[in-house]
Amino acid sequence: MNGISKPDPRGYPGNLGKLLSAADDRIALVDLHDAAQPRELSYRDIDALCDAVARGLAKRGLKAGDRIAILSLNRHEFVVTLLGAMRAGVVPVPINIKLAAESVRFIAEDAGAKLVFAEPALRRLCPRGADVVEYGGDAFRRFLDPGAFEAFEPQADSVAIQPYTSGSTGRPKGVLLTHYGQNWSRRILVHTRGTTAADVIVVAAPLYHKNALNAIKQGLTAGAKLVLLPQFSAERYVDAIGRHGATVISGVPTMMSMVLARRDLLARTDTSTVRTIMMGSAPSSPTLLAQLHETFPNASPLVVYGVTEGGPVPLGPHPKGLPRPLGSIGAPYEGTEAKLLDASGNERDEGELVLKNPGILLGYHNLPEETAKRVRDGWYYTGDVCRRDADGFYYFVGRTDDMFVSGGENIFPIEVEQLLERHPAVHQAYVLPFEHEMKGQVPYAFVVLRKNADAGEDELKQFALAHGPAYQHPRRVFFVEQLPLAGTNKIDRKQLRQWVADGTLDRNRETT
């Protein structure tokens, strides 16, 4: 398919930063960071900029194995910094821009980042005293060192990229992904999804997330055109589909729900060019899938399962070509082994999904105990509960821990609880996920106030918004005299949910 050979299940040698299909004059990327002045870059342009980044890093004294951090909206500079760093053997660390400054500082320090590339508006989040190169102006141009560069030749265990994901305690964990493994991943995606140089892929998900990183790797490997939005906006997303003749679109279900809500824009947009819609990071309802098929009549909506540590996309089309049932997350790719284990480690048709493929993480940065817990004998224990049908298709069921996904963002209840308990009036907080039509799930908080203290629901919501990422703030706050306990002396979640369902907590608050 488009010159891409069938992927080798053992992984592929070579530098991931050299993934461009060719260095010619075809358009590789349309940068829409500045809506008034879109910028088109050819494969030749991208290749030259990647070399210039690699040379710039070497000129600054960085060497193979060193880390750099990237804190930015989507833009072409982000892409060439990622790939250019890899060419130099330097490991890029993309950071979630929605994190608080304290979390950004922790990641940069944990990774040992020697240089930070940042969006000007986000420089305020950079660690104090950090060496920062700003995008969008003279600073980045001065950093670049144009000229040819001989790429670093990685070994099988050479780290290509170090994204961060939250841990079971909410502390960010650096995921070590190799050049060899990610070369396997990009080739398997191109091969199984039939991506070609004729494709136009709209990317609006953030580049620090696996969804967008996969789209970039997939598109550039196949020689496709990437249309890069700085961040998601339903209006700009729909406009990009029509204006550029998109063939592949992707995102989380929340994004697609917001797109479908703009019927006015869709009515005057040609959506017939779209052949594939990929959605991941949260469950997709049958209603949403049906609406997408109606709006994009020539497209196949795909529910994509991915986990940063696990490939990152281990499941796809059925090896025998069987049609994927509605709601299935697919079957293991060639080169991926998968099994479902119960709490005793026995294989079942429903249980924790455990994976082995060339793309799984080497380990967690500076966390040997967590690595030993999650990676055993080459198998990655995902913490996701899935079931498998008689044909070998997998379906996502839930998590083995308390983490839940809201609009594509991972939320751990303990993070929200600790945030709320920083408020002077809050004695205790407990957080549960509740279903939400667009976000998948959102946090609700149950709060015990300090004696003689007072606070309102809106006050605590605003406190959370001011002191943490917006996606973590509780959408409802309920006040209780004490949290109910179940027979095991754990908090009785069932009772809390019942109180919400029957309105007991709202009535209690109205009478106080």
Side-chain angles (χ1 to χ4, degrees):
M1 297 179 183
N2 191 40
I4 303 298
S5 58
K6 189 174 182 179
D8 186 329
R10 298 168 297 179
Y12 272 91
N15 190 300
L16 184 63
K18 298 286 287 184
L19 57 75
L20 302 181
S21 64
D24 55 28
D25 292 325
R26 290 171 300 129
I27 299 301
L29 191 150
V30 181
D31 186 347
L32 300 180
H33 189 275
D34 183 346
Q37 294 182 304
R39 180 171 177 181
E40 292 187 344
L41 293 99
S42 69
Y43 275 82
R44 194 185 311 279
D45 295 332
I46 296 290
D47 187 56
L49 284 169
C50 290
D51 274 355
V53 168
R55 288 169 60 97
L57 291 170
K59 195 173 182 178
R60 289 281 189 110
L62 276 77
K63 59 186 184 301
D66 287 340
R67 267 62 171 173
I68 61 166
I70 307 175
L71 189 69
S72 177
L73 296 173
N74 294 351
R75 54 195 305 156
H76 77 274
E77 294 97 333
F78 196 140
V79 176
V80 299
T81 302
L82 274 173
L83 300 180
M86 292 176 189
R87 291 185 182 192
V90 172
V91 180
V93 179
I95 300 179
N96 185 340
I97 64 171
K98 297 179 183 178
L99 294 176
E102 181 179 351
S103 295
V104 172
R105 181 174 66 252
F106 168 80
I107 291 172
E109 292 176 352
D110 182 68
K114 295 191 173 182
L115 191 60
V116 180
F117 293 83
E119 186 91 16
L122 297 173
R123 182 160 186 160
R124 58 186 171 77
L125 297 176
C126 295
R128 188 172 300 173
D131 190 0
V132 179
V133 175
E134 283 191 5
Y135 288 149
D138 290 337
F140 186 68
R141 285 193 290 270
R142 289 196 301 269
F143 164 79
L144 296 173
D145 184 21
F149 184 83
E150 185 174 345
F152 162 78
E153 191 61 42
Q155 301 301 307
D157 61 351
S158 296
V159 177
I161 186 170
Q162 185 174 316
Y164 272 73
T165 184
S166 293
S168 57
T169 62
R171 179 180 178 179
K173 299 181 297 184
V175 180
L176 304 176
L177 300 175
T178 67
H179 287 266
Y180 276 36
Q182 295 311 293
N183 277 332
W184 169 83
S185 173
R186 68 184 175 94
R187 288 174 176 269
I188 199 78
L189 290 178
V190 171
H191 182 78
T192 57
R193 294 176 179 175
T195 314
T196 73
D199 278 314
V200 178
I201 305 173
V202 176
V203 181
L207 283 171
Y208 59 75
H209 193 275
K210 65 179 180 297
N211 289 355
L213 288 172
N214 283 336
I216 294 292
K217 292 185 293 186
Q218 178 183 341
L220 294 179
T221 296
K225 179 193 291 186
L226 294 161
V227 179
L228 190 63
L229 288 161
Q231 56 191 339
F232 177 73
S233 152
E235 294 79 3
R236 294 191 66 185
Y237 194 81
V238 173
D239 179 72
I241 291 171
R243 189 178 301 274
H244 298 280
T247 63
V248 179
I249 61 176
S250 65
V252 298
T254 305
M255 291 168 55
M256 295 305 168
S257 294
M258 295 174 70
V259 167
L260 291 174
R262 294 307 307 268
R263 295 291 177 185
D264 55 330
L265 299 178
L266 290 166
R268 54 178 186 265
T269 301
D270 180 8
T271 61
S272 65
T273 59
V274 179
R275 67 171 180 85
T276 302
I277 303 169
M278 295 181 294
M279 288 186 298
S281 299
S284 301
S285 70
T287 300
L288 177 61
L289 293 172
Q291 290 175 343
L292 284 169
H293 185 68
E294 179 183 341
T295 304
F296 300 91
N298 298 324
S300 300
L302 293 178
V303 178
V304 179
Y305 172 82
V307 56
T308 303
E309 297 97 326
V313 182
L315 306 174
H318 196 281
K320 295 182 179 179
L322 298 178
R324 187 188 300 194
L326 189 68
S328 170
I329 55 177
Y333 284 121
E334 184 173 350
T336 289
E337 296 178 64
K339 53 188 178 181
L340 301 175
L341 303 180
D342 64 17
S344 300
N346 301 310
E347 289 201 47
R348 295 284 188 262
D349 287 330
E350 181 169 316
E352 181 180 5
L353 177 63
V354 182
L355 300 166
K356 179 186 285 187
N357 65 44
I360 68 167
L361 76 165
L362 273 181
Y364 292 107
H365 182 65
N366 290 338
L367 293 171
E369 292 183 3
E370 188 69 17
T371 299
K373 175 183 174 183
R374 288 293 189 180
V375 185
R376 307 176 216 164
D377 298 323
W379 292 87
Y380 171 62
Y381 287 68
T382 67
D384 289 326
V385 176
C386 296
R387 65 178 176 85
R388 181 178 53 233
D389 69 17
D391 290 322
F393 284 105
Y394 286 68
Y395 301 79
F396 180 78
V397 175
R399 289 285 299 174
T400 57
D401 54 30
D402 290 334
M403 188 275 286
F404 62 98
V405 178
S406 181
E409 298 288 349
N410 292 348
I411 295 179
F412 289 84
I414 191 171
E415 292 178 314
V416 188
E417 292 161 6
Q418 291 173 346
L419 174 61
L420 291 171
E421 287 171 0
R422 288 164 54 189
H423 189 284
V426 175
H427 168 65
Q428 187 179 12
Y430 189 74
V431 171
L432 286 174
F434 279 72
E435 299 300 318
H436 188 276
E437 183 176 353
M438 293 183 66
K439 298 286 187 182
Q441 291 182 312
V442 293
Y444 281 20
F446 302 86
V447 169
V448 179
L449 294 174
R450 296 183 184 277
K451 189 175 181 179
N452 299 323
D454 192 25
E457 178 175 11
D458 188 64
E459 179 181 348
L460 293 186
K461 287 182 181 179
Q462 294 304 316
F463 179 85
L465 284 166
H467 294 85
Y471 60 80
Q472 281 189 356
H473 87 277
R475 303 321 194 265
R476 289 299 313 272
V477 178
F478 299 99
F479 297 88
V480 295
E481 293 295 325
Q482 63 181 27
L483 292 166
L485 298 179
T488 57
N489 283 334
K490 293 182 178 180
I491 293 173
D492 191 340
R493 300 183 181 194
K494 184 176 180 181
Q495 181 65 72
L496 289 172
R497 292 188 180 279
Q498 183 60 46
W499 284 348
V500 172
D502 64 22
T504 297
L505 298 179
D506 284 321
R507 290 195 298 273
N508 286 350
R509 189 59 178 170
E510 289 169 2
T511 59
T512 58

